[in-house]
Amino acid sequence: MTTSATRAERHPSPRKRADTGAARPHDPDEIGLDALVGHAGYAVRRFQIWIFQDFIKTLGAVDIRPTQYSVLTVIGANPGLSQMAVAKRLGIERARLVHLLDSLEQRKLVRRIKSKTDRRSHALHLTAPGETALAKFKTLAAEHERHVEAKIGKENRERLLEILAGFT
Amino acid sequence: MTTSATRAERHPSPRKRADTGAARPHDPDEIGLDALVGHAGYAVRRFQIWIFQDFIKTLGAVDIRPTQYSVLTVIGANPGLSQMAVAKRLGIERARLVHLLDSLEQRKLVRRIKSKTDRRSHALHLTAPGETALAKFKTLAAEHERHVEAKIGKENRERLLEILAGFT
DNA sequence: GAAAGATTGTTGTTGACGACAACAATTGCG
DNA sequence: CGCAATTGTTGTCGTCAACAACAATCTTTC
């Protein structure tokens, strides 16, 4: 096969002339994505960026990022977990969780309590203010979720959750 | 309202005693995600991590990452674009695109050609080896896409693409 | 046509994040 | 007991998004 045929086949160019170096103006809307439109990863990446930005913005007043929220939620629902258990459950590196907990502990939302049964590990708990703060975070997170609904539609969001349920 | 009631309501604890610092063993499968399961962002993030890892692994032999692939695809489909145009279309910072193109140009896949009409900008083109390389990348990317199908199902993947079509 | 403002590519910084490697303390097992 | 495995920690590396600043160049405005 000829090497140069590839692009010509896929893109019957609007202009046939070889305009190398022309830098013709492009209408942003007419730039084709080509093979990218068939890739789930591309759409998912763009969507994930959008959704995180909205989350960060919606929870901006309380300065909580998505990862922090996930850690607090899991600890709140399962008090006494070790760092390893939380890291495994959320797919976070245990090395990374150390810094996350440092920050959350400084903010008095979480406590690392030395375990009596295994002196290597820490039992993670929310503080009293951490509990009330998390309740507030959940309210804001629910608001963020409504933004998602508004963006892709209520039923589409539910379909999405079903499709991706296996990755939780 | 009482602050301490929050968690107790949501999680009728398996053990009623206050086991602060107990570090009881947890079956990894029984750690609840609580509010996290209702958040699209969490599922999308986990899925995106999985899908990128598979892409990187599947295209590992040719050393092409998702972002590089998207840049090459768009340039291949729209030769002569400026860096700004590519950056805007793909939602990449133009500062970041500089490094991406530096790398791709070093590998002789892309050329920056000085524009004659606007001497500030560069017209981006694939090299001849770049064209053939991209064809190979697309083959491997299609293989990756089959992995996605195998993971979530053929019809679910298509539904996903429909739902997220607005983010491309 | 010249001054003022906007755009393009570039360089640099910051911070979040995933991936790895190494280490001390501790536990568990042969 | 001795040795492997686990837990938390520290550190490094590379990717990536978000900004800020800058020189060169275009565009708008007077």
Side-chain angles (χ1 to χ4, degrees):
Chain A
M1 61 174 177
T2 66
T3 60
S4 59
T6 308
R7 194 186 75 227
E9 288 167 9
R10 285 188 224 265
H11 311 286
S13 36
R15 317 179 182 192
K16 255 301 154 66
R17 62 188 169 84
D19 50 3
T20 300
R24 60 212 148 101
H26 261 272
D27 184 342
D29 297 334
E30 71 177 34
I31 298 177
L33 287 179
D34 194 56
L36 242 43
V37 296
H39 284 296
Y42 178 71
V44 168
R45 166 177 162 266
R46 297 293 300 258
F47 180 52
Q48 195 254 338
I49 290 173
W50 180 89
I51 212 169
F52 265 49
Q53 282 174 341
D54 185 87
F55 187 99
I56 293 167
K57 190 167 141 197
T58 306
L59 296 236
V62 293
D63 191 28
I64 287 291
R65 312 187 101 263
T67 313
Q68 295 175 313
Y69 176 74
S70 70
V71 169
L72 289 174
T73 301
V74 165
I75 295 177
N78 311 273
L81 284 184
S82 69
Q83 298 185 192
M84 266 304 299
V86 172
K88 266 189 197 147
R89 187 63 187 87
L90 290 176
I92 301 174
E93 289 272 326
R94 70 184 196 276
R96 165 129 191 74
L97 186 60
V98 172
H99 301 296
L100 287 168
L101 289 175
D102 285 350
S103 164
L104 295 173
E105 205 171 22
Q106 272 186 347
R107 292 171 64 176
K108 310 288 186 191
L109 301 176
V110 167
R111 277 197 63 197
R112 281 189 255 226
I113 299 179
K114 288 187 168 187
S115 169
K116 288 157 186 147
T117 60
D118 184 342
R119 286 155 57 203
R120 294 169 301 180
S121 68
H122 294 154
L124 301 175
H125 293 267
L126 295 185
T127 63
E131 300 259 10
T132 60
L134 178 55
K136 171 68 173 171
F137 302 160
K138 285 182 179 175
T139 304
L140 292 170
E143 183 185 334
H144 152 71
E145 209 61 26
R146 286 195 293 275
H147 299 168
V148 176
E149 272 191 359
K151 186 74 174 178
I152 66 176
K154 188 183 178 74
E155 65 293 336
N156 275 340
R157 177 183 158 277
E158 281 165 13
R159 249 182 276 172
L160 199 68
L161 284 174
E162 289 170 16
I163 293 174
L164 302 183
F167 289 90
T168 57
Chain B
M1 62 175 177
T2 65
T3 60
S4 59
T6 307
R7 194 187 75 229
E9 287 167 10
R10 285 187 225 267
H11 311 286
S13 37
R15 317 181 182 191
K16 256 296 153 71
R17 61 187 172 86
D19 48 8
T20 300
R24 59 210 148 101
H26 261 273
D27 185 341
D29 296 335
E30 71 178 35
I31 298 178
L33 287 180
D34 194 55
L36 242 43
V37 297
H39 285 295
Y42 178 72
V44 168
R45 166 176 162 265
R46 298 293 300 258
F47 181 52
Q48 196 252 339
I49 290 173
W50 181 90
I51 211 170
F52 265 49
Q53 282 173 341
D54 184 88
F55 187 99
I56 292 168
K57 190 167 142 198
T58 306
L59 297 234
V62 293
D63 191 28
I64 287 290
R65 313 188 97 261
T67 312
Q68 296 175 313
Y69 176 75
S70 69
V71 170
L72 289 174
T73 301
V74 165
I75 295 176
N78 311 274
L81 284 184
S82 70
Q83 297 184 193
M84 266 304 298
V86 171
K88 266 188 197 148
R89 187 66 187 86
L90 290 176
I92 300 174
E93 290 272 326
R94 68 184 197 279
R96 163 133 190 72
L97 186 59
V98 171
H99 301 296
L100 286 168
L101 289 174
D102 285 349
S103 164
L104 295 173
E105 204 171 23
Q106 272 185 347
R107 292 171 64 176
K108 310 288 186 190
L109 300 176
V110 167
R111 278 197 62 197
R112 280 190 255 227
I113 300 179
K114 287 187 170 186
S115 168
K116 288 155 188 150
T117 61
D118 186 341
R119 287 156 54 205
R120 293 171 301 180
S121 69
H122 294 155
L124 301 175
H125 292 268
L126 295 185
T127 63
E131 299 260 10
T132 58
L134 178 54
K136 170 67 173 172
F137 301 160
K138 285 182 179 176
T139 305
L140 292 170
E143 183 185 334
H144 152 70
E145 210 61 27
R146 286 195 292 276
H147 299 168
V148 176
E149 272 191 0
K151 187 72 175 178
I152 67 176
K154 187 185 180 72
E155 65 292 336
N156 276 340
R157 176 182 159 277
E158 282 166 11
R159 249 182 276 173
L160 199 68
L161 284 173
E162 289 169 16
I163 294 174
L164 302 183
F167 290 90
T168 56

